[in-house]
Amino acid sequence: MQSLFGLEGKRILVLGGGQGMGEATVRLLASLGCHVAIADRELDRAERVAAEVGGLVKTLPIAVDVLDDAALVAAVGRAERELGPLDGMATVIGMAGWGSLLEMEYEAWDADHRRNLRYFFVAAQAVARLLKARGAPGSIVCVSSIDGARSAPFHASYGAAKAGLMNLVKTMAVEWSAYGIRANVVAPGAIITPRIPHLGDAEAGAFERVPMLRRGTVDEIAKAIVFMLSDMASYITGQTLAVDGGLLAAYPIEMKEREARKGVIGGV
Ligand SMILES: NC(=O)c1ccc[n+]([C@@H]2O[C@H](COP(=O)([O-])OP(=O)(O)OC[C@H]3O[C@@H](n4cnc5c(N)ncnc54)[C@H](O)[C@@H]3O)[C@@H](O)[C@H]2O)c1
């Protein structure tokens, strides 16, 4: 299995590796023998994850705020120097600001673009420059959202930034394939995370629009990220993989979906 993924002995930088999807990605990479640099604004989180997988592989916890361009580029350089030549990067950091478009302040728009789109450009450019300088291939994966592929009511700036990631990897694919660098997006649907935990019974029925009738887990996102990082995806670049239990594919008219599920109608 390990040789199928081709990640044994490789080195990957995970931005936001201190909890949730990033932590799950670090754990899965380590289980496949991949060394990991774990960058997070909360150093204690990165250190905890590093300690927990440190028996399997080399780890490097790094404290960085990805909103600081110079610090972010320095963190990429540090990972390359101290962990060893990087083979790729996964970035999971992102968050939505909420509010109506009519009321939205310009600063709120910019904040969503900085913490979802801009930092990924800065980090990916830094990693790609290192790979190109060494003449080494690599894989870069970012986490978007299915809200970048449809409307994002009351979180428009987030949706636009996440859509930007989907477009940006296409350009990276075209410009960087010459250097053997792949770039892809994983787009989660509704996922249980430390910030949005499972609500138990209170959650029952809340995800009926999801064909698989449940939220996803951080491990299910990590599997898609690691797939894109690995040799299993060796001919895939510029793509977005939705990991959403079928939500993007769902039939748009709620009643028909419900009735069809009960076998009342067979479809249109
Ligand atoms: N939860 C969902 O349902 C869902 C759905 C679609 C997309 N997403 C996307 O999934 C990704 C992960 O979301 P999450 O809520 O699990 O993440 P999170 O808030 O748990 O953050 C992950 C890690 O990133 C670190 N971090 C945050 N800001 C940072 C910064 N400026 N610099 C360095 N580190 C920073 C945090 O300390 C944390 O350890 C995001 O991109 C989000 O937009 C989530």
Side-chain angles (χ1 to χ4, degrees), residues 16-21 39-42 45 64-67 92-95 116 143-146 158 162 188-196 215 218:
Q19 74 173 15
M21 298 175 196
D40 206 290
R41 195 172 49 191
E42 312 296 329
R45 292 181 183 171
V64 66
D65 182 347
V66 299
L67 304 181
V92 306
I93 296 159
M95 204 169 74
N116 289 288
V143 170
S144 173
S145 165
I146 59 166
Y158 174 82
K162 293 298 198 187
I191 307 299
I192 300 161
T193 65
R195 264 196 321 117
I196 318 174
R215 284 202 281 160
V218 292

Side-chain angles (χ1 to χ4, degrees), residues 11 80 84-88 127-137:
R11 301 173 193 87
E80 171 95 357
L86 292 173
D87 297 285
V127 170
R129 283 177 173 169
L130 291 171
L131 291 167
K132 176 174 178 272
R134 278 192 276 112

Side-chain angles (χ1 to χ4, degrees), residues 209 211 246-257 267-268:
R209 299 298 307 274
L247 187 52
L248 268 188
Y251 194 73
I253 302 171
E254 200 176 350
M255 283 315 293
K256 285 205 167 147
E257 245 178 87
V268 181

